Amino acid sequence: MVGAVPKLRADTRADRTMSGARGRVLRIGLISALVPMSLTLVQCGKAPNPAALAANSQANVQVVAKTNTQVASGDTFEDRFPAPQFRERFPSASESFLQRQMSDFSPKRAVQQPQPEQAPYKVASLEPQLPYKRPPREDLTTLVSMKSSAFPYFGNNPASDAPFLNISKGDRRGHRSYSGRVYWQDETYSDSRVLVHVPEHFDVRKPGVIVVFFHGNGATLERDVRDRQLVPKQITDSGANAILLAPQMAVDAADSSAGKFWQAGGLKRFMEESANHLARLTGDPNCARAFANMPIVIVGYSGGFLPTAWSLEVGGISDRVRGVVLLDAVYGEMDKFASWIESHRSGFFVSAYTRYTARRDRELMSMLRQKGISVSEDMDGPLRPGSVVFVETGEGITHRDYVTRAWTRDPLKDVLVKMSATPALALTRVASTNPSASGR
């Protein structure tokens, strides 16, 4: 027992020692926590830094200047936190969440939505439901080889009744022209192509006309008739219901030989073959008869006077020729022109000339006046059946440019416009492509 007491005392002293240590630790921790808080409370009691206040004041002034409002010196709660407006308290239906009921979350049977009414089926028919409408097309300009074109030609020259190919060199044959120059058949007289032009607006079902164009010396269809003289373009720009046929004459040669158009019925055969080609090119084989009966206007430029004159004299269809236009082309054959004019008073005749052909044109005018045929010397009046017009063009108008510039620019276009304006000439103007086109 005596030994027990000292042990109890030792434990008691040990407990006191540990309890004292814990107390010291708690006091130290409490002091460590309270000292920073006291420093913060002391700082809160101090006035704000002047520099910071000045900066905040300047910011408030800038905001007030932007809003044009004055801020009271005493900031209140209401100033800083204004009461919400009605629309902010109660959003509109479009701004609100979708209100749902408990029943919306209950399982439902799928509801079959009504199917859109389907259009009734169409049964294929052997007959078209709508009338056929021809698809739009562009101008057609092409070259077509024709047996009845001017060349090749192996007949006689009617002026001398001698073979046209009057010279040979080995197997090669050629023609010696009036100037003495030799042109070989394989180079100059073997091209059987014809320039065909069908404007986009052409309508075979309406009254129309076929323009047969005989080019002059030293020409080709592509380089001269199409690109330089713009004959297809003039026909299109006229708006007339007209198409073009331009046979290749002597290729790029100073020669006016007429070839097959020298022969009796030459123009008739040419127009018959052309009708079939035109029907095929326009996509309607049934319109060949319409082309075969369509009126004709012959245009001869320069050396083209010779095939023009012989076509009128022996071509076989002079009654279909509704008009003749000579562009600086009266170099001879006046008797043939005068004969056609006298016997075809329902057609018209126009001859425009420069000083190079002035003498022969005046001679032809004299021949006609002696026959009692009235002659006009300007193109200002209307073009009517029986019109005979001679137009002298002044200085500055060159022979080379005569197809595009004679008494007016684009003389062929001007003739077709005047012809279209005369119902008696039975030509429809189906397109008005140029409102300024002359209608004198």
Side-chain angles (χ1 to χ4, degrees):
M1 297 298 293
V2 175
V5 173
K7 184 176 187 305
L8 177 61
R9 288 179 179 177
D11 293 339
T12 302
R13 284 197 298 270
D15 292 340
R16 288 177 181 175
T17 302
M18 293 179 65
S19 176
R22 290 193 190 97
R24 284 195 297 273
V25 172
L26 290 174
R27 285 195 295 273
I28 291 171
L30 181 61
I31 292 170
S32 299
L34 292 175
V35 168
M37 186 178 294
S38 63
L39 292 175
T40 302
L41 292 174
V42 171
Q43 180 66 29
C44 287
K46 292 182 180 180
N49 188 297
L53 182 62
N56 292 334
S57 177
Q58 181 64 27
N60 287 336
V61 171
Q62 292 176 357
V63 172
V64 170
K66 290 181 180 180
T67 58
N68 294 324
T69 59
Q70 293 182 350
V71 178
S73 58
D75 226 13
T76 65
F77 181 86
E78 288 77 12
D79 293 329
R80 286 177 289 172
F81 302 99
Q85 300 295 319
F86 181 87
R87 61 183 178 81
E88 294 169 333
R89 288 178 181 269
F90 304 97
S92 64
S94 61
E95 296 171 337
S96 302
F97 289 105
L98 181 63
Q99 300 294 318
R100 294 183 179 272
Q101 305 295 329
M102 290 301 297
S103 59
D104 297 334
F105 299 95
S106 60
K108 295 181 178 180
R109 292 184 178 180
V111 178
Q112 186 175 4
Q113 298 294 330
Q115 298 295 324
E117 185 178 356
Q118 296 182 355
Y121 290 102
K122 285 188 176 181
V123 180
S125 173
L126 295 178
E127 296 183 359
Q129 300 298 313
L130 295 175
Y132 172 76
K133 184 178 181 181
R134 177 179 294 176
R137 58 177 174 83
E138 298 179 350
D139 285 2
L140 171 65
T141 306
T142 188
L143 293 168
V144 178
S145 179
M146 296 190 191
K147 294 181 180 179
S148 58
S149 190
F151 297 103
Y153 177 65
F154 302 100
N156 290 345
N157 185 338
S160 61
D161 203 25
F164 172 69
L165 298 176
N166 54 10
I167 193 169
S168 62
K169 185 178 181 181
D171 294 334
R172 206 176 189 193
R173 302 179 67 188
H175 169 70
R176 187 183 297 276
S177 67
Y178 293 111
S179 64
R181 182 172 178 177
V182 174
Y183 293 103
W184 298 104
Q185 191 269 338
D186 57 349
E187 294 177 347
T188 310
Y189 309 110
S190 62
D191 194 340
S192 63
R193 297 177 302 168
V194 177
L195 179 65
V196 180
H197 176 71
V198 183
E200 176 186 1
H201 58 255
F202 179 80
D203 190 344
V204 70
R205 299 167 298 180
K206 296 180 179 180
V209 67
I210 299 175
V211 177
V212 177
F213 182 82
F214 292 120
H215 65 74
N217 295 353
T220 67
L221 296 177
E222 300 98 324
R223 183 192 67 200
D224 299 284
V225 177
R226 183 191 63 190
D227 298 338
R228 182 172 64 86
Q229 298 168 340
L230 304 175
V231 176
K233 183 178 184 298
Q234 290 191 54
I235 290 178
T236 293
D237 291 348
S238 72
N241 201 38
I243 58 178
L244 170 69
L245 297 174
Q248 176 69 61
M249 308 307 291
V251 178
D252 204 11
D255 182 55
S256 303
S257 298
K260 294 187 182 76
F261 294 104
W262 267 324
Q263 297 176 324
L267 180 63
K268 181 179 181 180
R269 288 187 291 273
F270 178 73
M271 298 308 299
E272 288 175 349
E273 184 180 359
S274 299
N276 293 323
H277 284 288
L278 290 170
R280 178 177 54 84
L281 290 172
T282 54
D284 187 359
N286 296 323
C287 65
R289 179 173 295 182
F291 287 116
N293 295 312
M294 199 168 287
I296 302 167
V297 170
I298 300 179
V299 180
Y301 162 63
S302 187
F305 81 96
L306 199 60
T308 301
W310 281 89
S311 293
L312 295 175
E313 181 77 5
V314 300
I317 51 171
S318 58
D319 290 340
R320 274 183 63 188
V321 178
R322 195 61 51 84
V324 176
V325 181
L326 299 179
L327 300 174
D328 209 20
V330 183
Y331 288 93
E333 309 292 351
M334 280 87 74
D335 58 334
K336 293 180 175 60
F337 293 126
S339 175
W340 182 85
I341 295 170
E342 183 180 19
S343 58
H344 296 83
R345 301 305 298 139
S346 60
F348 65 86
F349 180 88
V350 175
S351 178
Y353 59 95
T354 64
R355 59 187 178 89
Y356 300 105
T357 57
R359 180 177 63 84
R360 293 183 179 86
D361 274 270
R362 290 173 185 143
E363 182 179 347
L364 180 55
M365 280 190 276
S366 177
M367 293 171 59
L368 295 173
R369 285 177 175 139
Q370 291 177 4
K371 296 177 179 293
I373 298 173
S374 176
V375 174
S376 173
E377 295 190 51
D378 63 67
M379 282 289 291
D380 292 334
L383 194 61
R384 297 190 178 96
S387 294
V388 178
V389 183
F390 287 81
V391 186
E392 183 176 11
T393 52
E395 297 295 330
I397 306 299
T398 64
H399 179 80
R400 174 178 171 78
D401 299 330
Y402 215 71
V403 178
T404 55
R405 189 183 178 196
W407 67 88
T408 184
R409 289 192 179 277
D410 298 333
L412 179 54
K413 168 187 169 182
D414 188 56
V415 168
L416 290 174
V417 170
K418 287 180 168 64
M419 187 177 177
S420 302
T422 307
L425 292 175
L427 177 61
T428 301
R429 192 157 186 255
V430 294
S432 181
T433 56
N434 189 352
S436 62
S438 173
R440 297 173 299 177

mmCIF file with all atom_site columns, all heavy atoms in Angstrom, residues 365-382:
data_model
loop_
_atom_site.group_PDB
_atom_site.id
_atom_site.type_symbol
_atom_site.label_atom_id
_atom_site.label_alt_id
_atom_site.label_comp_id
_atom_site.label_asym_id
_atom_site.label_entity_id
_atom_site.label_seq_id
_atom_site.pdbx_PDB_ins_code
_atom_site.Cartn_x
_atom_site.Cartn_y
_atom_site.Cartn_z
_atom_site.occupancy
_atom_site.B_iso_or_equiv
_atom_site.pdbx_formal_charge
_atom_site.auth_seq_id
_atom_site.auth_comp_id
_atom_site.auth_asym_id
_atom_site.auth_atom_id
_atom_site.pdbx_PDB_model_num
ATOM 1   N N   . MET A 1 365 ? -30.658 52.244 -166.929 1.00 0.00 ? 365 MET A N   1
ATOM 2   C CA  . MET A 1 365 ? -31.777 53.144 -166.621 1.00 0.00 ? 365 MET A CA  1
ATOM 3   C C   . MET A 1 365 ? -32.396 53.681 -167.903 1.00 0.00 ? 365 MET A C   1
ATOM 4   O O   . MET A 1 365 ? -33.626 53.757 -168.036 1.00 0.00 ? 365 MET A O   1
ATOM 5   C CB  . MET A 1 365 ? -31.303 54.300 -165.737 1.00 0.00 ? 365 MET A CB  1
ATOM 6   C CG  . MET A 1 365 ? -31.172 53.957 -164.263 1.00 0.00 ? 365 MET A CG  1
ATOM 7   S SD  . MET A 1 365 ? -30.896 55.440 -163.237 1.00 0.00 ? 365 MET A SD  1
ATOM 8   C CE  . MET A 1 365 ? -29.124 55.619 -163.420 1.00 0.00 ? 365 MET A CE  1
ATOM 9   N N   . SER A 1 366 ? -31.550 54.034 -168.850 1.00 0.00 ? 366 SER A N   1
ATOM 10  C CA  . SER A 1 366 ? -32.055 54.554 -170.124 1.00 0.00 ? 366 SER A CA  1
ATOM 11  C C   . SER A 1 366 ? -32.857 53.492 -170.872 1.00 0.00 ? 366 SER A C   1
ATOM 12  O O   . SER A 1 366 ? -33.925 53.776 -171.439 1.00 0.00 ? 366 SER A O   1
ATOM 13  C CB  . SER A 1 366 ? -30.876 55.031 -170.981 1.00 0.00 ? 366 SER A CB  1
ATOM 14  O OG  . SER A 1 366 ? -31.312 55.477 -172.236 1.00 0.00 ? 366 SER A OG  1
ATOM 15  N N   . MET A 1 367 ? -32.380 52.251 -170.847 1.00 0.00 ? 367 MET A N   1
ATOM 16  C CA  . MET A 1 367 ? -33.093 51.154 -171.504 1.00 0.00 ? 367 MET A CA  1
ATOM 17  C C   . MET A 1 367 ? -34.486 50.975 -170.899 1.00 0.00 ? 367 MET A C   1
ATOM 18  O O   . MET A 1 367 ? -35.473 50.795 -171.616 1.00 0.00 ? 367 MET A O   1
ATOM 19  C CB  . MET A 1 367 ? -32.300 49.849 -171.383 1.00 0.00 ? 367 MET A CB  1
ATOM 20  C CG  . MET A 1 367 ? -30.993 49.839 -172.158 1.00 0.00 ? 367 MET A CG  1
ATOM 21  S SD  . MET A 1 367 ? -29.964 48.375 -171.787 1.00 0.00 ? 367 MET A SD  1
ATOM 22  C CE  . MET A 1 367 ? -31.058 47.050 -172.258 1.00 0.00 ? 367 MET A CE  1
ATOM 23  N N   . LEU A 1 368 ? -34.580 51.044 -169.596 1.00 0.00 ? 368 LEU A N   1
ATOM 24  C CA  . LEU A 1 368 ? -35.858 50.849 -168.909 1.00 0.00 ? 368 LEU A CA  1
ATOM 25  C C   . LEU A 1 368 ? -36.818 52.003 -169.183 1.00 0.00 ? 368 LEU A C   1
ATOM 26  O O   . LEU A 1 368 ? -38.022 51.791 -169.390 1.00 0.00 ? 368 LEU A O   1
ATOM 27  C CB  . LEU A 1 368 ? -35.621 50.683 -167.405 1.00 0.00 ? 368 LEU A CB  1
ATOM 28  C CG  . LEU A 1 368 ? -34.834 49.416 -167.001 1.00 0.00 ? 368 LEU A CG  1
ATOM 29  C CD1 . LEU A 1 368 ? -34.503 49.451 -165.517 1.00 0.00 ? 368 LEU A CD1 1
ATOM 30  C CD2 . LEU A 1 368 ? -35.623 48.159 -167.343 1.00 0.00 ? 368 LEU A CD2 1
ATOM 31  N N   . ARG A 1 369 ? -36.312 53.212 -169.174 1.00 0.00 ? 369 ARG A N   1
ATOM 32  C CA  . ARG A 1 369 ? -37.187 54.365 -169.435 1.00 0.00 ? 369 ARG A CA  1
ATOM 33  C C   . ARG A 1 369 ? -37.730 54.326 -170.861 1.00 0.00 ? 369 ARG A C   1
ATOM 34  O O   . ARG A 1 369 ? -38.873 54.732 -171.115 1.00 0.00 ? 369 ARG A O   1
ATOM 35  C CB  . ARG A 1 369 ? -36.423 55.655 -169.168 1.00 0.00 ? 369 ARG A CB  1
ATOM 36  C CG  . ARG A 1 369 ? -36.244 55.927 -167.657 1.00 0.00 ? 369 ARG A CG  1
ATOM 37  C CD  . ARG A 1 369 ? -35.420 57.155 -167.396 1.00 0.00 ? 369 ARG A CD  1
ATOM 38  N NE  . ARG A 1 369 ? -35.373 57.465 -165.962 1.00 0.00 ? 369 ARG A NE  1
ATOM 39  C CZ  . ARG A 1 369 ? -34.282 57.863 -165.325 1.00 0.00 ? 369 ARG A CZ  1
ATOM 40  N NH1 . ARG A 1 369 ? -33.125 57.981 -166.003 1.00 0.00 ? 369 ARG A NH1 1
ATOM 41  N NH2 . ARG A 1 369 ? -34.322 58.143 -164.035 1.00 0.00 ? 369 ARG A NH2 1
ATOM 42  N N   . GLN A 1 370 ? -36.942 53.816 -171.774 1.00 0.00 ? 370 GLN A N   1
ATOM 43  C CA  . GLN A 1 370 ? -37.420 53.677 -173.141 1.00 0.00 ? 370 GLN A CA  1
ATOM 44  C C   . GLN A 1 370 ? -38.537 52.647 -173.241 1.00 0.00 ? 370 GLN A C   1
ATOM 45  O O   . GLN A 1 370 ? -39.379 52.718 -174.136 1.00 0.00 ? 370 GLN A O   1
ATOM 46  C CB  . GLN A 1 370 ? -36.267 53.289 -174.073 1.00 0.00 ? 370 GLN A CB  1
ATOM 47  C CG  . GLN A 1 370 ? -35.243 54.390 -174.272 1.00 0.00 ? 370 GLN A CG  1
ATOM 48  C CD  . GLN A 1 370 ? -34.080 53.942 -175.142 1.00 0.00 ? 370 GLN A CD  1
ATOM 49  O OE1 . GLN A 1 370 ? -34.059 52.825 -175.662 1.00 0.00 ? 370 GLN A OE1 1
ATOM 50  N NE2 . GLN A 1 370 ? -33.071 54.809 -175.285 1.00 0.00 ? 370 GLN A NE2 1
ATOM 51  N N   . LYS A 1 371 ? -38.562 51.723 -172.313 1.00 0.00 ? 371 LYS A N   1
ATOM 52  C CA  . LYS A 1 371 ? -39.628 50.723 -172.255 1.00 0.00 ? 371 LYS A CA  1
ATOM 53  C C   . LYS A 1 371 ? -40.836 51.233 -171.482 1.00 0.00 ? 371 LYS A C   1
ATOM 54  O O   . LYS A 1 371 ? -41.817 50.503 -171.290 1.00 0.00 ? 371 LYS A O   1
ATOM 55  C CB  . LYS A 1 371 ? -39.122 49.428 -171.618 1.00 0.00 ? 371 LYS A CB  1
ATOM 56  C CG  . LYS A 1 371 ? -38.029 48.723 -172.425 1.00 0.00 ? 371 LYS A CG  1
ATOM 57  C CD  . LYS A 1 371 ? -37.525 47.481 -171.688 1.00 0.00 ? 371 LYS A CD  1
ATOM 58  C CE  . LYS A 1 371 ? -36.460 46.747 -172.469 1.00 0.00 ? 371 LYS A CE  1
ATOM 59  N NZ  . LYS A 1 371 ? -36.975 46.121 -173.729 1.00 0.00 ? 371 LYS A NZ  1
ATOM 60  N N   . GLY A 1 372 ? -40.763 52.454 -170.996 1.00 0.00 ? 372 GLY A N   1
ATOM 61  C CA  . GLY A 1 372 ? -41.874 53.035 -170.249 1.00 0.00 ? 372 GLY A CA  1
ATOM 62  C C   . GLY A 1 372 ? -41.905 52.625 -168.784 1.00 0.00 ? 372 GLY A C   1
ATOM 63  O O   . GLY A 1 372 ? -42.957 52.734 -168.128 1.00 0.00 ? 372 GLY A O   1
ATOM 64  N N   . ILE A 1 373 ? -40.786 52.154 -168.256 1.00 0.00 ? 373 ILE A N   1
ATOM 65  C CA  . ILE A 1 373 ? -40.722 51.719 -166.856 1.00 0.00 ? 373 ILE A CA  1
ATOM 66  C C   . ILE A 1 373 ? -40.192 52.867 -166.006 1.00 0.00 ? 373 ILE A C   1
ATOM 67  O O   . ILE A 1 373 ? -39.135 53.441 -166.290 1.00 0.00 ? 373 ILE A O   1
ATOM 68  C CB  . ILE A 1 373 ? -39.823 50.475 -166.712 1.00 0.00 ? 373 ILE A CB  1
ATOM 69  C CG1 . ILE A 1 373 ? -40.422 49.302 -167.518 1.00 0.00 ? 373 ILE A CG1 1
ATOM 70  C CG2 . ILE A 1 373 ? -39.649 50.083 -165.248 1.00 0.00 ? 373 ILE A CG2 1
ATOM 71  C CD1 . ILE A 1 373 ? -39.524 48.080 -167.571 1.00 0.00 ? 373 ILE A CD1 1
ATOM 72  N N   . SER A 1 374 ? -40.933 53.209 -164.973 1.00 0.00 ? 374 SER A N   1
ATOM 73  C CA  . SER A 1 374 ? -40.539 54.286 -164.073 1.00 0.00 ? 374 SER A CA  1
ATOM 74  C C   . SER A 1 374 ? -39.335 53.861 -163.234 1.00 0.00 ? 374 SER A C   1
ATOM 75  O O   . SER A 1 374 ? -39.273 52.737 -162.731 1.00 0.00 ? 374 SER A O   1
ATOM 76  C CB  . SER A 1 374 ? -41.710 54.661 -163.161 1.00 0.00 ? 374 SER A CB  1
ATOM 77  O OG  . SER A 1 374 ? -41.326 55.645 -162.229 1.00 0.00 ? 374 SER A OG  1
ATOM 78  N N   . VAL A 1 375 ? -38.397 54.781 -163.082 1.00 0.00 ? 375 VAL A N   1
ATOM 79  C CA  . VAL A 1 375 ? -37.160 54.515 -162.341 1.00 0.00 ? 375 VAL A CA  1
ATOM 80  C C   . VAL A 1 375 ? -37.008 55.554 -161.253 1.00 0.00 ? 375 VAL A C   1
ATOM 81  O O   . VAL A 1 375 ? -37.157 56.763 -161.502 1.00 0.00 ? 375 VAL A O   1
ATOM 82  C CB  . VAL A 1 375 ? -35.935 54.541 -163.279 1.00 0.00 ? 375 VAL A CB  1
ATOM 83  C CG1 . VAL A 1 375 ? -34.642 54.412 -162.480 1.00 0.00 ? 375 VAL A CG1 1
ATOM 84  C CG2 . VAL A 1 375 ? -36.023 53.435 -164.322 1.00 0.00 ? 375 VAL A CG2 1
ATOM 85  N N   . SER A 1 376 ? -36.702 55.107 -160.066 1.00 0.00 ? 376 SER A N   1
ATOM 86  C CA  . SER A 1 376 ? -36.404 55.999 -158.941 1.00 0.00 ? 376 SER A CA  1
ATOM 87  C C   . SER A 1 376 ? -34.902 55.978 -158.688 1.00 0.00 ? 376 SER A C   1
ATOM 88  O O   . SER A 1 376 ? -34.237 54.958 -158.920 1.00 0.00 ? 376 SER A O   1
ATOM 89  C CB  . SER A 1 376 ? -37.145 55.532 -157.679 1.00 0.00 ? 376 SER A CB  1
ATOM 90  O OG  . SER A 1 376 ? -36.743 56.278 -156.546 1.00 0.00 ? 376 SER A OG  1
ATOM 91  N N   . GLU A 1 377 ? -34.395 57.098 -158.195 1.00 0.00 ? 377 GLU A N   1
ATOM 92  C CA  . GLU A 1 377 ? -32.952 57.199 -157.971 1.00 0.00 ? 377 GLU A CA  1
ATOM 93  C C   . GLU A 1 377 ? -32.606 57.449 -156.504 1.00 0.00 ? 377 GLU A C   1
ATOM 94  O O   . GLU A 1 377 ? -31.600 58.075 -156.199 1.00 0.00 ? 377 GLU A O   1
ATOM 95  C CB  . GLU A 1 377 ? -32.342 58.278 -158.874 1.00 0.00 ? 377 GLU A CB  1
ATOM 96  C CG  . GLU A 1 377 ? -32.437 57.925 -160.341 1.00 0.00 ? 377 GLU A CG  1
ATOM 97  C CD  . GLU A 1 377 ? -31.626 58.848 -161.247 1.00 0.00 ? 377 GLU A CD  1
ATOM 98  O OE1 . GLU A 1 377 ? -30.425 59.034 -160.954 1.00 0.00 ? 377 GLU A OE1 1
ATOM 99  O OE2 . GLU A 1 377 ? -32.197 59.385 -162.219 1.00 0.00 ? 377 GLU A OE2 1
ATOM 100 N N   . ASP A 1 378 ? -33.432 56.969 -155.615 1.00 0.00 ? 378 ASP A N   1
ATOM 101 C CA  . ASP A 1 378 ? -33.084 57.007 -154.191 1.00 0.00 ? 378 ASP A CA  1
ATOM 102 C C   . ASP A 1 378 ? -33.828 55.891 -153.470 1.00 0.00 ? 378 ASP A C   1
ATOM 103 O O   . ASP A 1 378 ? -34.809 55.353 -153.971 1.00 0.00 ? 378 ASP A O   1
ATOM 104 C CB  . ASP A 1 378 ? -33.409 58.366 -153.565 1.00 0.00 ? 378 ASP A CB  1
ATOM 105 C CG  . ASP A 1 378 ? -34.883 58.695 -153.578 1.00 0.00 ? 378 ASP A CG  1
ATOM 106 O OD1 . ASP A 1 378 ? -35.653 57.993 -152.869 1.00 0.00 ? 378 ASP A OD1 1
ATOM 107 O OD2 . ASP A 1 378 ? -35.306 59.632 -154.295 1.00 0.00 ? 378 ASP A OD2 1
ATOM 108 N N   . MET A 1 379 ? -33.340 55.572 -152.276 1.00 0.00 ? 379 MET A N   1
ATOM 109 C CA  . MET A 1 379 ? -33.948 54.512 -151.481 1.00 0.00 ? 379 MET A CA  1
ATOM 110 C C   . MET A 1 379 ? -34.772 55.077 -150.326 1.00 0.00 ? 379 MET A C   1
ATOM 111 O O   . MET A 1 379 ? -35.049 54.363 -149.364 1.00 0.00 ? 379 MET A O   1
ATOM 112 C CB  . MET A 1 379 ? -32.858 53.595 -150.908 1.00 0.00 ? 379 MET A CB  1
ATOM 113 C CG  . MET A 1 379 ? -32.301 52.610 -151.913 1.00 0.00 ? 379 MET A CG  1
ATOM 114 S SD  . MET A 1 379 ? -33.470 51.294 -152.361 1.00 0.00 ? 379 MET A SD  1
ATOM 115 C CE  . MET A 1 379 ? -33.540 50.356 -150.839 1.00 0.00 ? 379 MET A CE  1
ATOM 116 N N   . ASP A 1 380 ? -35.175 56.328 -150.431 1.00 0.00 ? 380 ASP A N   1
ATOM 117 C CA  . ASP A 1 380 ? -35.938 56.936 -149.337 1.00 0.00 ? 380 ASP A CA  1
ATOM 118 C C   . ASP A 1 380 ? -37.396 56.481 -149.321 1.00 0.00 ? 380 ASP A C   1
ATOM 119 O O   . ASP A 1 380 ? -38.040 56.495 -148.281 1.00 0.00 ? 380 ASP A O   1
ATOM 120 C CB  . ASP A 1 380 ? -35.881 58.468 -149.436 1.00 0.00 ? 380 ASP A CB  1
ATOM 121 C CG  . ASP A 1 380 ? -34.483 59.001 -149.168 1.00 0.00 ? 380 ASP A CG  1
ATOM 122 O OD1 . ASP A 1 380 ? -33.727 58.305 -148.461 1.00 0.00 ? 380 ASP A OD1 1
ATOM 123 O OD2 . ASP A 1 380 ? -34.145 60.084 -149.668 1.00 0.00 ? 380 ASP A OD2 1
ATOM 124 N N   . GLY A 1 381 ? -37.919 56.097 -150.460 1.00 0.00 ? 381 GLY A N   1
ATOM 125 C CA  . GLY A 1 381 ? -39.316 55.696 -150.519 1.00 0.00 ? 381 GLY A CA  1
ATOM 126 C C   . GLY A 1 381 ? -39.507 54.239 -150.136 1.00 0.00 ? 381 GLY A C   1
ATOM 127 O O   . GLY A 1 381 ? -38.548 53.487 -149.958 1.00 0.00 ? 381 GLY A O   1
ATOM 128 N N   . PRO A 1 382 ? -40.757 53.823 -150.020 1.00 0.00 ? 382 PRO A N   1
ATOM 129 C CA  . PRO A 1 382 ? -41.031 52.418 -149.696 1.00 0.00 ? 382 PRO A CA  1
ATOM 130 C C   . PRO A 1 382 ? -40.686 51.518 -150.864 1.00 0.00 ? 382 PRO A C   1
ATOM 131 O O   . PRO A 1 382 ? -40.650 51.933 -152.020 1.00 0.00 ? 382 PRO A O   1
ATOM 132 C CB  . PRO A 1 382 ? -42.536 52.423 -149.412 1.00 0.00 ? 382 PRO A CB  1
ATOM 133 C CG  . PRO A 1 382 ? -43.068 53.593 -150.171 1.00 0.00 ? 382 PRO A CG  1
ATOM 134 C CD  . PRO A 1 382 ? -41.991 54.622 -150.154 1.00 0.00 ? 382 PRO A CD  1
#
